[in-house]
Amino acid sequence: MRSFSYQRASDPQAALQALAVTAAATTPLTEASSQPLAGGTTLIDLMKLDVMRPERLVDINPLAGNWAQVDLDGGNLKLGALAHMSQVAGHAEVRQNYPVIADSLKLAASPQLRNMATLGGNVLQRTRCSYFRDVSYAECNKRNPGSGCAAMDGFNRMHAVLGTSHQCIATYPGDFAQALIALDAAIEITSKSGPRSMSFAEFHRAPGDTPAIETVLAPGELISGFAIDGRWPRSVYLKVRDRQSYEFALASAAVALDLQNGVINDARLALGGVATVPWRAREAEAVLKGQKLDDALAERAADAAFADARGRQHNAFKIALGKRVVAHALKKAIAMEI
Amino acid sequence: MSTAAPEPKANMGQPIPRYDAVAKVTGRAEYAADVPLANPAYAYLVTSAIAKGRVDSFDLDEARRVRGVIDIITHENMVKLKDAKLFSNGGYMSTTVQPLKSADIAHDGQIIAVVLAESFEAARDAAHRVKVSYSTMPPTASFDSQGTTAAGAKGQLAQFKEDPEVGDFAKGFDSAEVKVSAEYETPTQHHNPMELFATSCAWNGDQLTIYEPSQYVYGLKNGVAEQLGVDADKVRVINAYVGGAFGSKGSVTPRTAIIASLARRLNRPVKLVATRDQGFTIATYRAETRHQVKLGAGRDGKLLALRHDGHEISSRPDPYAVGGTKTTTRLYACPNVASMVSIVRADRNTPGFMRSPPEVPYLFALESAMDELAIELNMDPIELRRINDTTTEPIKGKPYTSRSLMACFDEAAKAFDWSKRNPTPRSMSDGDWLIGYGCATTCYPTQMAPAAARVRLQRDGRVRVQIAGHEIGNGAYTVIAQAAAERLGVPIENVSVMIGDSDLPPAPVAGGSNSTASTCSAVMKVCDQVRQRLLKAVMPEEGVINRAKETVGVGRTPVTDAAHGDQALDREKAFDALGVGVVEEYGEWKPEGAPLDSFHAMYAGHARLIGGPEFGDKIAYAFGAEFVEVRINRNTREIRVPRLVGAFACGHIMNPRTARSQLMGGLIWGMSSALLEATEIDPRNARYVNDNLADYLVPVNADVPSVEVILLSEQDDQVNPAGVKGLGELGNVGTNAAVCNAIFHATGQRIRKLPVRLEKLEI
């Protein structure tokens, strides 16, 4: 960890002002010299490991007064970016109307981390790739563009099989983002030029040729919240991992279904633990729509979800595992008593 | 899971709460890195990013510019330290690689520089700015890498004395009607104690004080003195508490003498707390092992032939091996036995002992093979153990001092409801979950080593016990206090215990499960010396003294039936007769059959452990039986362990509460070892990849919903005066095999390579 300056922002304008940087427009957000500090559960970790080296931290926790709400208003859900994971996971109405959100949060991290970590920070959580997190490995295109990828032919059991590129196979590690993707959430962003809103599905960027750029968020911008239209009581988050708690997914699925007389009217499916970004499985959704779920259809949907998957030495098992998780999650969602 | 302390049975002490419980739960317990120092400098290590080669140059400019940096030490400006021998070859060291001695790099994560600064933060900041140029050579990572060399352990490692054999294995195996021949593998594992590898060194003139978590303060004191070339009597090691060790803090790592020499150079205290990932390479680990086991039996299940060959990874310079064949060749009756342990060298840091060093990998292989044999025989696996149970070991025909293996199986089987098991694999399920029951034998050699103690008794009945034992979570404070309280007949609250300080009378390394047997035997002996002095004052007749010595406690009525006719000693009267304020005695104890140089070695920091298969004309082991229920989800293949049950017989149990806690931790670790723990090595560069607690998985509470520990009553008067058979390492020996045996029962699939991850299942 390198020395840095610390500043508390009293209001959004002050935060944006403090975060405004002179860096070139091409600087990845994660390399910006000023970084917002919310729960700090990722940022401080990575600073201790010398992976992130900001010169200035802008503490945005004082903005929680405006940005930590959990509102179910007129059949829609609004979540503030500074709401804590534990606060939303334990919210009775969220649990009832959006079980996929409550479970994705409850099944992540540990109670201590969920009490600290915020929703905005959660979706910005960076990969757990061991080679990315250890600066003694010279090769990492995400950390050091153009240096290569040590994971590609290294120990890659936890790495992605979907959305990979020749530059990077690092897995997006979070859970909550899959729920947001499945529910077609919008993300609200504030900058000096004012607020904007966009589809959360467009927020993360697959690594492609520029794995250092992980989201469309620009330096000087802040996430203020998330919005979800409608209620999704028939939704589940299924997470498979090596141990029962406090562990990242080997494969996970967020499923939201609109069922009418046993027929799938609308299906939303997002995958975690297997992809470089929160992954919307649109091909699988297309297979499901207008159908009644049986074992064969679940299997077809799962196959469609992983049609483009590409495994490597240690992570190839995630393709078969991911398919089983999708099929099982669909059956769980169908079986829910609403 | 019941959380109440177990009721003591016959030959068990009271389940008194831990002596150090309140200090620990209130945060008052002072660990090595907690000790305040006057104006310390902070050290931060820089470790190599390559496993083989040399440092060409350092660029230290940017690092030196960090405010608060005092100095940066590399091989170019480090004082020369003396070479010291490996612990397992009669020395003190965890490795003979001496970092900072030259530009050469022998393994990943070797210490190549030390940054000294006015604060921890400045030292860390500067360390991150040190730039290193290397000349890299292709390293050999492990078994399947190019460039390994292999040779038998016998002859190159002092601690490995024999490849046990008896009869004619080849003939016996040929003639056997039922055979099993299989290969097994265990992975690299790291201890990962919660407490990091910390070292603080402070000089006062020519006196050095070291605050460091250690399982062997006398070894550390003498080893560091040897490296520094100073008188060992001028070195003191203090650690009142050790925050977990599991073997990793038993031998002297190179960091200590480095920090001590830097403190001397700076003329101020230096404090180091190495990081979690540095802990993977600056200390030891459990090396990966490979095994071939051949079992031949008659249709009746009687073993006719047993062969166990083991291969273990070690470093280039050091021939370390755990060599568990000394146990696996003796566990069951068998007329024809052969074995061989080989050491395979690679470009790695030197491995070392890790909880139940030889037995964990070697019994995984044997107890898996026994389960495979039971399947071949279509026989209950418990019955197979019963048929081959023995009271004498087969290699030299020596009798076990006591052996309650089958009693443990019977008790554990009853508690586990083994009778409800349908023996057919894949026959039991609950909804989406396949259910498997498995079991295995666990055992661990009963070991002792010489120890000394000082005991002081006051007229008012207060007692102080001093012994350089180690509180590594084992309950050392508690059982030592109990031993003294029982022997002197005073309430436990009257006893204060001082341990974890090399200025106290020496105790052996807290390893090999010898600690309770050794320290309590010594404390009991010295308590007897105290009693004799008092008795002499009031009962001068020799005959009375001898009778009283055997039967009379101080200040309370005798406890044994034979002693009912005797009078209790009046302590105050005895003190008044002596005309003294306190009675203090110092004494040394050594186990039966200990070598002649035992006491001399004890003061020099060499523990001469006696026991196990090397216990004169006897053999001494503690036994247990471990049962596991696994559940495997048909859809997701998740593997869960809802139940662990173990029954153990370990001679006299000093304290059922601390004993149960040790064994429970062992069972949990065994499950962890079977399912979760593995240090991944990148074969391209021989580096550890998952060197942190987020990626090196250990169980969380949710993984262990139920653990049941059953303590059997067992009496063994042959092992030591305390009648204690160490149990700290007993709990996690059989669990690996029991888990895999249960997985076979659940799925019909035999897993012979640990850990079992869900991708290995083909259900």
Side-chain angles (χ1 to χ4, degrees), chain A residues 1 131 136 150 157 243-244, chain B residues 128 640 684 687 698 759:
Chain A
M1 183 183 261
Y131 299 98
S136 74
R157 178 174 184 261
R243 65 181 171 196
Q244 182 74 45
Chain B
H128 284 150
R640 300 292 180 243
R684 300 168 301 177
R687 303 193 64 197
V698 297
E759 63 264 35

Side-chain angles (χ1 to χ4, degrees), chain B residues 487 523-533 549:
Chain B
R487 212 62 171 185
V523 168
M524 286 163 61
K525 184 185 176 195
V526 181
C527 287
D528 286 349
Q529 293 173 209
V530 171
R531 291 195 317 181
Q532 281 189 56
R533 272 188 63 190
K549 179 181 153 192

Side-chain angles (χ1 to χ4, degrees), chain B residues 51-52 138-150 185 288 290 313-314 316 344-348 681-687:
Chain B
K52 188 179 185 184
T140 301
S142 187
F143 286 119
D144 295 327
S145 309
Q146 289 198 331
T148 55
T149 58
E185 281 189 59
E288 56 272 37
R290 289 182 172 177
I313 285 289
S314 189
R316 290 286 182 206
V344 179
R345 306 294 188 94
D347 296 306
R348 296 272 297 282
I681 303 159
D682 192 323
R684 300 168 301 177
N685 49 36
R687 303 193 64 197

